[in-house]
């Protein structure tokens, strides 16, 4: 898989990012992020304030014969989602063709007009006009969606992308929560509630237009693009465009599944609260609050757990948590005794209800861990000129999956399934879908193994990882101390690495399977197997030609005494083959420290032979190990002796 077209755009991203010192919250003090964040926050809040207030009004306050209360929420939700199906393809093209700030300002002006019309409709109780405004607000969100996610990689570096996406995801769910709560409270004000809703919507739209004014310019990535106004053909073309990059397309499917999963829970909260938990409307709101807090917390945790890289190893972790706690929610809700309708205080006084709340919090937290790295990966791996259109394809699939979720949930309920049984079924289905995606794209599973090794097996610290390029070909050379060296290098790199490895390691149980999954290149000594020797170098040259990271352990084997061994000439042959094809990949020296003496190193001696993996806990738990990354070297200056010297200096 080529990574030569990865992003972010180097010229667009400042060299010194304050977020490195202050974390993701420091972005809220920077103009490149803060105005954009508050613009999208206010837009999401306005969407949900309007929708929820309108739903409550037609459900409880007005009697509309042609729109019964049982259908009101469904109709309003369907009208809001419909523009995502009809216009996402067009909005993706617009976001690639024009300056994103220009589009953001246009969208906020459109929001003001829509909300002014909605305010008049609230004043006069014009239900058809409010339904039209619902559709138009869906159009507003459709236009903003591709801009929203294509904006971030232009202004944030690779080390900021996960944190930035986490902030946006957290902000979106907090805005949804606050919008719903505000809409419900304001519309409930006797006689003048609808008037206040209209005024509030206009005020939020005006405030959003004000913050949009300060969003920095973001030049078009494909200004010569000719717009195809046919939504059907353009939708198909966008899906094919996304399908062209396997990892990106599978990530799009993974995100769409997450929306399917989440929509099942969100749509059933009112019924779950009333029929299963025996709670009132405030209990239903409490479930929404808990779910939103969980999503926001998981989104913010991504930067901490990923050490400010795009760490897709969190995706399997998120999938596991989503399944475990949705399945446990079935068992937690199954045995609750019948009771009278409970308020929040009475609901919280029942010990069994705390398990339900814990399950909801944790399954939504893991959903945040699942989705944020996927969004960041799509942004980083998509070609800049097509990024917004791929995000538009993602929005189309999201809408389709949410519609499918509603249809399937309705069919299951009609077939006699209880709500807890539906949660159980979705949890089991999530496990199957996640396993299928991870087998199709092994990179997720590999990164998960690397994440576990570097966080839970060892206390792994990386120094100088800014020297690892986020795009383009490069050769990594590192000392070889243990059987898990490659796994730790994977954990340190924001991109996949192809390893040139001794063919004998492929015979080691589990590790051999893992390295085959990583498409490692087996190499045998030339005297032992000349054909395998030459094939390994040909494969290494091909990897560089495809713009990949290539790693080699130039000692030729794992050290048996803990000392750095002389370097062999394999790296020189790789550089020579690359030069023949006009490639000049930088060579990056690395040094693994404190691994000698660990379980996976050959520290033990048996019958005069140095062996590994004998005493698992000889150094206790959570051993502290490190990786020092040196300054890249130009290939013309490289020699085995110089590389040995540079790697040795990194071990000091």
């Amino acid at each position: 898989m080529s990574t030569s077209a990865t992003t972010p755009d180097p010229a667009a991203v400042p060299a010194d990012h304050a977020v490195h010192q202050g974390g993701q919250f420091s972005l809220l003090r920077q103009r490149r992020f803060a105005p954009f964040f508050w613009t999208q926050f206010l837009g999401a809040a306005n969407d949900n304030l309007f929708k929820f207030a309108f739903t409550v009004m037609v459900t409880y306050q007005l009697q509309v014969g042609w729109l019964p209360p049982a259908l009101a929420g469904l109709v309003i939700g369907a009208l809001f989602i419909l523009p995502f199906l009809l216009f996402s393809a067009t909005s993706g093209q617009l976001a690639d063709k024009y300056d994103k700030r220009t589009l953001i300002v246009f969208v906020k002006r459109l929001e003001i007009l829509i909300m002014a019309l909605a305010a008049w409709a609230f004043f006069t109780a014009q239900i058809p006009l409010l339904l039209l405004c619902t559709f138009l607000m869906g159009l507003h969100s459709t236009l903003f969606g591709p801009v929203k996610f294509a904006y971030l990689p232009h202004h944030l570096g690779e080390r900021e992308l996960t944190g930035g996406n986490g902030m946006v995801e957290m902000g979106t769910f907090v805005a949804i929560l606050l919008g719903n709560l505000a809409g419900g409270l304001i519309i409930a004000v006797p006689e003048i509630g609808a008037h206040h809703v209209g005024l509030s919507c206009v005020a939020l739209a005006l405030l959003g237009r004000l913050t949009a004014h300060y969003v920095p310019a973001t030049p078009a990535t494909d200004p010569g693009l000719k717009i195809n106004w046919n939504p059907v053909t353009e939708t198909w073309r966008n899906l094919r465009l996304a399908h062209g990059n396997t990892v990106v397309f599978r990530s799009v499917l993974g995100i769409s599944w997450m929306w399917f999963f989440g929509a099942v829970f969100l749509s059933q909260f009112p019924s779950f609260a009333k029929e299963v938990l025996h709670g009132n409307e405030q209990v239903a709101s409490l479930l929404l609050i808990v779910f939103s807090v969980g999503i926001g917390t998981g989104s913010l945790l991504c930067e901490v757990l990923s050490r400010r890289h795009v760490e897709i190893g969190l995706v399997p972790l998120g999938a596991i948590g989503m399944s475990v706690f949705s399945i446990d929610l079935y068992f937690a809700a199954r045995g609750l005794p019948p009771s009278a309708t409970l308020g929040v205080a009475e609901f919280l006084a029942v010990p069994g209800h705390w398990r339900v709340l814990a399950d909801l919090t944790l399954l939504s937290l893991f959903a945040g861990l699942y989705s944020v790295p996927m969004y960041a990966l799509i942004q980083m791996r998509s070609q800049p000129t097509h990024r917004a259109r791929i995000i538009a394809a993602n929005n189309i699939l999201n809408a389709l999956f949410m519609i499918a979720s509603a249809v399937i949930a309705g069919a299951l309920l009609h077939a006699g399934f209880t709500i807890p049984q539906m949660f159980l079924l979705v949890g089991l289905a999530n496990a199957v879908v996640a396993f299928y995606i991870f087998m199709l794209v092994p990179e997720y599973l590999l990164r998960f193994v690397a994440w576990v090794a570097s966080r839970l097996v060892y206390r792994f610290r990386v120094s100088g990882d800014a020297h690892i390029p986020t795009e383009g070909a490069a050769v990594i050379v590192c000392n070889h101390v243990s059987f898990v060296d490659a796994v730790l290098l994977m954990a340190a790199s924001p991109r996949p690495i192809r390893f040139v490895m001794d063919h004998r390691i492929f015979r080691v149980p589990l590790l051999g399977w893992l390295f085959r999954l990583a498409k490692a290149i087996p190499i045998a000594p030339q005297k032992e197997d000349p054909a395998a020797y030459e094939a390994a170098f040909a494969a290494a040259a091909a990897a560089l030609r495809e713009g990949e990271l290539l790693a080699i352990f130039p000692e030729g084997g794992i050290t048996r005494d803990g000392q750095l061994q002389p370097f062999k000439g394999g790296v020189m042959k790789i550089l020579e083959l690359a030069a023949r094809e006009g490639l000049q990949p930088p060579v990056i020296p690395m040094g693994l420290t404190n691994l000698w003496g660990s379980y996976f190193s050959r520290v033990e001696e048996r019958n005069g032979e140095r062996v590994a993996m004998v005493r698992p806990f000889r150094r206790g738990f959570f051993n502290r190990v490190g990786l020092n990354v040196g300054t890249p070297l130009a290939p013309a200056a490289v020699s085995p002796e110089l590389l040995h010297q540079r790697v040795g200096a990194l071990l000091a």
Side-chain angles (χ1 to χ4, degrees):
M1 179 185 61
S2 172
T3 54
S4 58
T6 54
T7 55
D9 313 311
V13 181
D16 181 23
H17 300 301
V19 73
H20 289 179
Q21 288 75 40
Q24 55 198 330
F25 287 101
S26 70
L27 289 171
L28 291 176
R29 300 193 297 270
Q30 301 176 40
R31 186 183 170 188
R32 61 196 172 107
F33 183 81
F36 163 79
F37 174 85
W38 291 114
T39 299
Q40 67 87 28
F41 180 92
L42 291 166
N46 213 6
D47 280 344
N48 288 277
L49 189 155
F50 167 78
K51 285 192 301 175
F52 194 72
F54 181 28
T55 303
V56 171
M57 185 173 78
V58 296
T59 301
Y60 294 102
Q61 299 179 1
L62 298 179
Q63 299 299 321
V64 184
W66 52 271
L67 187 62
L71 290 178
L74 180 63
V75 171
I76 291 170
L79 279 175
F80 189 81
I81 291 175
L82 184 59
F84 284 91
L85 295 176
L86 298 178
F87 304 115
S88 282
T90 303
S91 67
Q93 295 177 87
L94 294 173
D96 278 332
K97 183 176 177 64
Y98 296 108
D99 184 302
K100 290 167 185 58
R101 179 190 182 275
T102 301
L103 286 174
I104 290 173
V105 170
F106 169 77
V107 167
K108 301 319 285 184
R109 287 174 175 166
L110 178 63
E111 183 183 354
I112 293 172
L113 293 176
I114 297 169
M115 289 293 93
L117 185 62
W120 185 77
F122 272 119
F123 290 170
T124 57
Q126 293 290 326
I127 303 304
L129 192 55
L130 285 171
L131 290 173
L132 173 63
C133 290
T134 302
F135 178 84
L136 292 176
M137 283 304 286
L139 174 62
H140 151 272
S141 297
T142 301
L143 292 173
F144 188 71
V147 179
K148 169 181 173 180
F149 286 106
Y151 174 91
L152 290 176
H154 189 90
H155 292 276
L156 303 183
E158 186 274 331
R159 288 172 61 85
E160 301 170 306
L161 207 50
T162 295
N165 275 283
M167 291 291 291
V168 169
E169 192 85 348
M170 176 275 299
T172 299
F173 275 89
V174 170
I176 290 171
L177 173 63
L178 294 178
N180 283 334
L181 292 177
L185 291 173
I186 296 172
I187 196 68
V189 176
E191 298 183 5
I192 58 172
H195 296 186
H196 286 177
V197 168
L199 293 174
S200 299
C201 289
V202 172
L204 284 176
L206 289 170
L207 194 56
R209 172 62 186 89
L210 177 64
T211 58
H213 177 76
Y214 297 97
V215 173
T218 310
T221 53
D222 191 4
L225 176 66
K226 184 177 180 181
I227 302 293
N228 175 16
W229 297 101
N230 185 325
V232 177
T233 58
E234 186 60 26
T235 294
W236 180 248
R237 188 164 69 177
N238 284 357
L239 292 173
R240 290 183 61 189
L241 194 65
H243 191 267
N245 187 320
T246 302
V247 173
V248 168
F249 186 68
R250 302 302 182 193
S251 299
V252 166
L253 291 178
I255 289 172
S256 297
W257 169 256
M258 192 275 293
W259 281 104
F260 179 103
F261 179 92
V264 170
F265 288 89
L266 289 171
S267 65
Q268 296 304 316
F269 277 166
S271 299
F272 182 58
K274 180 180 179 181
E275 298 173 12
V276 180
L277 303 179
H278 313 293
N280 60 12
E281 296 89 340
Q282 284 71 37
V283 173
S285 297
L286 175 65
L287 300 184
L288 177 64
I289 292 171
V290 165
F291 195 85
S292 300
V293 168
I295 287 277
T297 304
S299 300
L300 294 178
L301 279 175
C302 285
E303 187 190 52
V304 177
L305 295 176
S306 66
R307 295 199 181 113
R308 296 175 180 167
H309 281 302
V310 177
E311 180 51 85
I312 62 173
L314 295 177
V315 175
L317 178 66
I320 292 169
M322 288 162 65
S323 285
V324 167
F325 291 106
S326 56
I327 292 170
D328 189 68
L329 182 60
Y330 161 75
F331 292 103
R334 188 178 58 166
L336 295 176
S339 66
T341 301
L342 304 174
V344 172
E346 295 88 353
F347 175 81
L348 293 177
V350 178
H353 291 161
W354 284 95
R355 180 179 172 187
V356 172
L357 293 178
D359 283 333
L360 279 176
T361 303
L362 290 169
L363 76 86
S364 58
L365 183 150
F366 280 98
L369 294 179
Y370 176 93
S371 64
V372 168
M374 277 195 171
Y375 275 118
L377 182 72
I378 291 172
Q379 292 164 336
M380 192 175 79
R381 299 282 181 88
S382 298
Q383 201 152 345
T385 53
H386 299 83
R387 187 186 290 132
R389 277 168 282 174
I390 289 174
I391 292 167
N394 174 64
N395 290 342
I396 294 166
L397 287 177
N398 288 351
L400 288 173
F401 272 64
M402 290 172 71
I403 292 170
S405 170
V407 172
I408 293 173
L412 289 174
L413 291 172
H414 183 72
F417 280 75
T418 65
I419 294 174
Q421 286 173 342
M422 192 158 55
F423 292 164
L424 172 65
L425 190 62
V426 170
L428 294 172
N430 181 70
V432 173
V433 170
F435 180 78
Y436 176 69
I437 291 175
F438 301 149
M439 288 299 99
L440 285 177
V441 187
E443 188 181 342
Y444 286 111
L445 192 58
L446 292 168
R447 297 292 304 191
F448 177 62
V449 172
W451 184 84
V452 169
S454 62
R455 270 72 167 183
L456 303 181
V457 177
Y458 296 109
R459 287 179 293 168
F460 185 50
R461 180 174 180 178
V462 182
S463 175
D465 57 340
H467 295 310
I468 304 174
T470 56
E471 60 180 1
V475 177
I476 293 169
V477 295
C478 187
N479 60 319
H480 206 0
V481 191
S482 76
F483 283 98
V484 294
D485 293 351
V487 174
L488 293 176
L489 291 186
M490 277 192 272
S493 171
R495 294 164 52 196
I497 300 176
R498 295 285 301 280
F499 291 91
V500 180
M501 306 181 73
D502 189 316
H503 69 110
R504 290 170 294 184
I505 201 169
F506 290 86
R507 296 198 291 264
V508 177
L510 188 61
L511 286 176
W513 171 80
L514 184 68
F515 294 137
R516 287 189 191 92
L517 207 59
K519 298 181 180 178
I521 301 168
I523 187 169
Q526 188 173 22
K527 293 180 180 179
E528 179 182 327
D529 191 340
Y533 177 81
E534 293 299 331
F537 284 105
L544 293 175
R545 188 167 57 247
E546 291 296 313
E548 296 185 279
L549 288 179
L550 180 75
I552 185 170
F553 299 103
E555 294 168 272
I558 297 173
T559 179
R560 296 178 182 275
D561 59 6
Q563 300 302 308
L564 187 64
Q565 307 301 307
F567 283 9
K568 298 182 178 179
V571 66
M572 302 307 299
K573 183 166 183 174
I574 291 172
L575 294 175
E576 180 184 339
L577 291 173
R580 289 179 189 174
E581 300 189 25
L583 300 174
Q584 296 293 320
V587 180
I588 305 168
M590 296 186 181
L592 284 162
T593 62
N594 207 34
L595 265 171
W596 178 251
S598 71
Y599 171 65
F600 294 102
S601 67
R602 285 176 164 151
V603 68
E604 304 291 346
E605 187 171 338
R606 281 187 176 178
N607 302 322
E609 180 73 15
R610 289 286 188 175
V611 293
M613 293 178 279
V614 175
R615 295 169 55 196
F617 308 113
R618 70 182 310 276
R619 285 173 55 181
F621 296 92
F622 304 113
N623 311 142
R624 189 183 298 277
V625 300
L627 176 70
N628 296 321
V629 184
T631 306
L633 301 171
V638 168
S639 67
E641 295 76 21
L642 176 62
L643 286 175
H644 188 278
Q645 176 187 342
R646 291 295 180 90
V647 172
L650 294 171
L651 302 178

